[in-house]
Amino acid sequence: MTSKHTREVPVLTIDGPSGAGKGAVAANVARRLGWKALDSGAVYRAVAASALDQNVSAEDVDVLVALCDDLPLSFEAGDDGIRVFLDGQPVDGRLRQEEVSSMSSRIASQSAVRAALMDLQRSFRQPPGLVADGRDMGTVVFPDAQIKVFLDASVEERANRRYKQLKEKGKDVNFLRLFRDLEARDRRDRERSVSPTVPAADAEVIDSTAMTLEAVIDRVLSIARERV
Ligand code: DC
């Protein structure tokens, strides 16, 4: 249950498709405001990784729901994104693996899994405020959020950014495959019947295709300062 007191804690939601830069924007904005951060994608990724580790399929809803019960997750706003810890141990590397990305998108279309993760996500709403990044932060999880942003960018630009990131890490990547995977994931996230990736009616939509990260951060901070 969310108490009245909790509902008064300001929330800034940043929703949008994969690769739009939500994580970097959310982490920087959280740091500058001195607020907490929630990477809700990592919540789905943590369930997906645990399902893969235990050979649980994306259709085995009862077991997936049981896996949602014990997720000692915590977050820290870093320089280039929100860092994720499970039981205090950093798990970013594992959670970003391609097999986890694909599995997380599949389990995220199960409404029972989404319902099972609701209270956990809302429990991160703590003073002095929360920056929450995801797909349905402004529409479903925090519909009463004071500040809502929907961060978009063209699929070409998002694939390019991801390609550069992976190359910089010395990974061997195939651009076309990355582009197609991103398109498939977008389609699944946008067209699913439960909590699809769409802007909340009261969200400010920012198209970051031709914007620098710094410009997006400044824009989000100025929206935040107008509203709290
Ligand atoms: O943002 P991300 O790529 O880390 O998210 C991983 C998957 O989880 C993504 O395919 C969509 C899903 N997701 C979701 O359905 N709802 C959220 N609030 C966050 C992520």
Side-chain angles (χ1 to χ4, degrees):
M1 282 289 279
T2 325
S3 67
K4 181 169 184 294
H5 171 73
T6 311
R7 276 188 271 116
E8 281 161 5
V9 173
V11 181
L12 190 171
T13 59
I14 305 183
D15 290 308
S18 297
K22 298 183 304 276
V25 173
N28 277 281
V29 168
R31 280 169 75 131
R32 302 228 201 140
L33 293 172
W35 288 8
K36 318 235 178 263
L38 161 66
D39 174 356
S40 62
V43 175
Y44 288 93
R45 286 171 183 272
V47 179
S50 142
L52 287 167
D53 290 345
Q54 298 176 49
N55 273 319
V56 176
S57 92
E59 283 70 45
D60 201 343
V61 178
D62 292 346
V63 183
L64 291 174
V65 166
L67 293 179
C68 296
D69 252 4
D70 182 29
L71 281 182
L73 280 171
S74 53
F75 301 97
E76 213 177 87
D79 286 334
D80 53 1
I82 300 173
R83 302 200 56 211
V84 192
F85 302 84
L86 189 66
D87 249 335
Q89 298 302 312
V91 285
D92 306 82
R94 168 71 174 137
L95 296 194
R96 297 283 147 210
Q97 285 174 354
E98 272 316 305
E99 60 163 357
V100 176
S101 300
S102 163
M103 182 71 162
S104 63
S105 159
R106 292 170 62 210
I107 65 161
S109 60
Q110 304 280 10
S111 55
V113 171
R114 303 196 73 85
L117 294 172
M118 196 66 77
D119 284 352
L120 171 68
Q121 295 177 85
R122 289 184 175 151
S123 72
F124 289 95
R125 187 173 196 169
Q126 283 170 23
L130 175 70
V131 179
D133 133 24
R135 304 292 191 292
D136 61 344
M137 297 294 96
T139 48
V140 178
V141 181
F142 301 109
D144 61 337
Q146 290 80 348
I147 315 142
K148 299 182 186 179
V149 167
F150 189 89
L151 192 57
D152 212 345
S154 72
V155 63
E156 290 82 1
E157 175 61 19
R158 289 184 285 122
N160 255 322
R161 289 178 191 169
R162 182 93 185 113
Y163 181 80
K164 278 193 204 137
Q165 265 174 5
L166 292 170
K167 276 278 179 203
E168 274 162 21
K169 286 186 188 155
K171 300 250 165 74
D172 183 23
V173 272
N174 176 316
F175 180 81
L176 202 58
R177 199 169 141 213
L178 212 149
F179 181 92
R180 290 203 176 122
D181 283 353
L182 201 59
E183 262 191 331
R185 206 135 64 86
D186 273 6
R187 202 171 313 114
R188 235 184 343 237
D189 294 342
R190 193 173 293 137
E191 292 174 4
R192 68 181 175 218
S193 55
V194 50
S195 301
T197 309
V198 290
D202 50 350
E204 186 95 22
V205 179
I206 302 175
D207 182 343
S208 77
T209 306
M211 288 171 84
T212 62
L213 175 62
E214 218 26 68
V216 179
I217 294 167
D218 287 347
R219 176 84 194 102
V220 175
L221 281 170
S222 84
I223 296 169
R225 289 183 180 129
E226 275 164 21
R227 304 205 188 163
V228 284

